[in-house]
Every structure is written in structure tokens, then in C-alpha cells.
Amino acid sequence: MTKKILSVVTTVAVLGTMACAGAVSSSAYSGEISFEVPETWGNANKTFYAHIWNGLPGGKGLYEWQTANEKMTWKKGDATATYQVPDGDWNLIIVSGNTGIQTYDTVMNANCIGDTCYVMSDQFENPVDSKKVAYGLGWRNNSDCGPHKVVSSLGNIIGNAFLPGENDQILYDNFVKKYDENNVADPENEIYNWNDDGKVETGKDWTTIKKEVAEKLGVSVDEPSSSDPSSSDPSSTDDSSSKNDSSSKNDSSSKTNTTKTDTTAKTETTGSSTSTTTGDSTPVVALFATLAGALGVAFLARKKSVK
């Protein structure tokens, strides 16, 4: 009898463990998003594209820049374009047109499924090439998503939305790691020496710009620990999409200088229904609770059997 009880308990524990692990690790989502096409963009372009990727360390891109798979559903004269986001843990998007015009890197998440994004009137400096700019992209019903917050190559704070796990201290640490005056410039790995470009453009030495950036962000000026995984630079991912997004060396926005055209973006709020396929973010503690419960039942069953 004891063996049968233990067998059942073991099975329950294993299934519970698998369920908890699956719930913790699952973060993928999919579904349709919409894009409000500004009149000027609609008149100038024949096609719109949605470039989507994961900008965290180790993250991957979805498709190559402006390939058929990125093409949005739209026909000339339509006020909106739509795109079916494939299943994945994506967190950044750029919307672009066939003429080369594009938006700045924009944070997205599962809540953006069913939502509508729109071109903002504000323009943002390209984080790597300060001579380039791009229009911001906002979400009608998700104010926590929007232009990705970073520190630019000139020490300017751009955007307002974080990727998962990011905060102001991490942004500062990443800036220091990427632009330290002692760095040996290595554009392929997005490592630069402040004195080669930033100092020339701003007239500020490394000590001064570090202090200014820290003050703007309200963070500590302590050097980041090389063993701290949280200080990894999200823009240093080695996937194909990072070569095209606006925060990378060979990105498309570096190739195209977006002009300050009137976007005539709509300002009214549009309702949308959200339907996602996200996994439940059950905490890891549930795993231990399942195991503890299973062991408790097994102990009581064994004790009863001995009597």
C-alpha cells in the first residue's frame, strides 16, 4: 500500500514541478497589432514593415530588415496597417516604410497585442549616431511602452520605457562599459572610446560626462561589476536584427536621416480588445510548495503504514 501511495505522490510531484517550471519560463505571446498611418507617410510609401526583436542580452531577432515576413497588411488610402506578431518573447519594434522613413526603437510587450501604435510628433536621437533622428512610436492603451530609454553616444537620455529588468542604474552602467575613455574601440562589439567621438562633439571629458549622466539618471557613479549579469548591455546582442535596429552600429536609421516631416498623427484614443497567449508568471515558490506538499503526504503515508 505504501509503495502505491508513494508512486502516486511522486507522479503528482513531477507533474506539479513540470507545470510550475513551464509557467515560470513561458513568456511568449502572439497576436495582431495595428499602426495608425500618418497621412504624409501614407502618401509617400507603398509598403510598411514591422521589425520586431528581443533586445535583452541573448535575445534574438524575428526576421531580417524589411523582408516579406515583416510586411504589414495595408493598402493605399487605409488609415491603419496591421501585423500578425508571431509567437515569441519580443520586446522591441520599429515600424518603417519602403522610402526609408522609420520610427525609433519602441518597447512592446504582451499587453500591446490588440493595441494600436502611432507616430509621435517628437523625434529621438539615434543612440549610436547622433546625427540621425527618428520619430517616436507610442501605444494608445499602454503608456508604459514606448520609446526605449537609453543613454546615447553623447551622454543624452533618450526615451522613457524600460525593457524587462532594466532600470536607470543599469543604463548608466551600460554607458560606462560602452564608452569608457580607456576602451579600445571595437565597433563590431559596440565598444567605443569616449575621447574619439563624444569628447569631440560635446567638449566634455570622460569624468565630466559620467558625472552628468549619473546626475540626470539619479544613480550611483560606482563602476559596474564585470560579473554582474544585470549590467549587460541590451544593445550588444549578436543577432541579425540588432544590425538593423536604431540602437546598433549598422542599423537602418544610421543609413537614413529621417527628416522632420509633419506626421499629422491622430491624437484621439482608440479602443482595442486584447487577446494574448502569454504564459502565467507563477513564482518559483510554487514549485517548492508542490514538492514540500508531496513529501509531507509521503511521510504521513509511511508513518501510517508502519503502525
Side-chain angles (χ1 to χ4, degrees), residues 83-100:
Y83 186 71
Q84 189 68 30
V85 179
D87 191 63
D89 55 347
W90 321 116
N91 49 43
L92 285 170
I93 180 174
I94 291 174
V95 174
S96 65
N98 62 280
T99 60

Side-chain angles (χ1 to χ4, degrees), residues 43-269:
N43 292 336
N45 291 271
K46 295 180 179 179
T47 308
F48 291 104
Y49 301 88
H51 185 65
I52 295 171
W53 75 104
N54 184 313
L56 291 173
K60 297 184 180 298
L62 181 52
Y63 301 121
E64 292 293 328
W65 180 257
Q66 289 197 348
T67 50
N69 286 326
E70 290 193 341
K71 197 172 181 180
M72 304 185 83
T73 301
W74 180 75
K75 63 181 180 180
K76 205 77 170 176
D78 285 352
T80 60
T82 60
Y83 186 71
Q84 189 68 30
V85 179
D87 191 63
D89 55 347
W90 321 116
N91 49 43
L92 285 170
I93 180 174
I94 291 174
V95 174
S96 65
N98 62 280
T99 60
I101 196 167
Q102 67 174 74
T103 65
Y104 175 77
D105 299 11
T106 303
V107 174
M108 66 182 296
N109 57 34
N111 294 327
C112 295
I113 298 301
D115 200 356
T116 300
C117 55
Y118 63 96
V119 176
M120 304 168 70
S121 58
D122 296 333
Q123 291 186 324
F124 295 83
E125 171 190 340
N126 183 302
V128 175
D129 186 350
S130 61
K131 297 179 177 63
K132 309 297 182 183
V133 294
Y135 284 106
L137 189 70
W139 294 93
R140 289 298 181 197
N141 301 303
N142 288 282
S143 59
D144 59 325
C145 294
H148 183 208
K149 188 174 184 178
V150 296
V151 183
S152 79
S153 59
L154 299 185
N156 297 319
I157 312 302
I158 309 169
N160 55 18
F162 289 118
L163 293 182
E166 287 184 335
N167 55 43
D168 287 328
Q169 184 66 56
I170 288 176
L171 297 191
Y172 173 78
D173 292 347
N174 288 339
F175 174 73
V176 171
K177 288 171 61 179
K178 182 179 285 190
Y179 295 102
D180 192 289
E181 65 177 349
N182 296 313
N183 285 339
V184 175
D186 183 8
E188 288 298 322
N189 293 308
E190 296 190 344
I191 298 297
Y192 306 92
N193 185 301
W194 174 257
N195 298 327
D196 291 342
D197 185 26
K199 185 176 181 179
V200 175
E201 292 289 331
T202 65
K204 300 173 183 177
D205 60 29
W206 180 237
T207 301
T208 300
I209 199 66
K210 279 200 306 179
K211 181 179 179 181
E212 286 187 1
V213 170
E215 289 176 347
K216 290 176 186 177
L217 294 172
V219 300
S220 168
V221 295
D222 293 337
E223 294 295 328
S225 169
S226 59
S227 61
D228 181 6
S230 66
S231 65
S232 299
D233 186 357
S235 66
S236 64
T237 53
D238 192 27
D239 61 89
S240 59
S241 70
S242 66
K243 296 178 181 178
N244 295 311
D245 68 67
S246 68
S247 63
S248 64
K249 177 182 70 67
N250 292 323
D251 61 282
S252 57
S253 63
S254 295
K255 299 173 184 175
T256 305
N257 188 357
T258 307
T259 56
K260 296 186 177 181
T261 317
D262 178 18
T263 62
T264 63
K266 299 178 181 178
T267 56
E268 69 272 17
T269 302

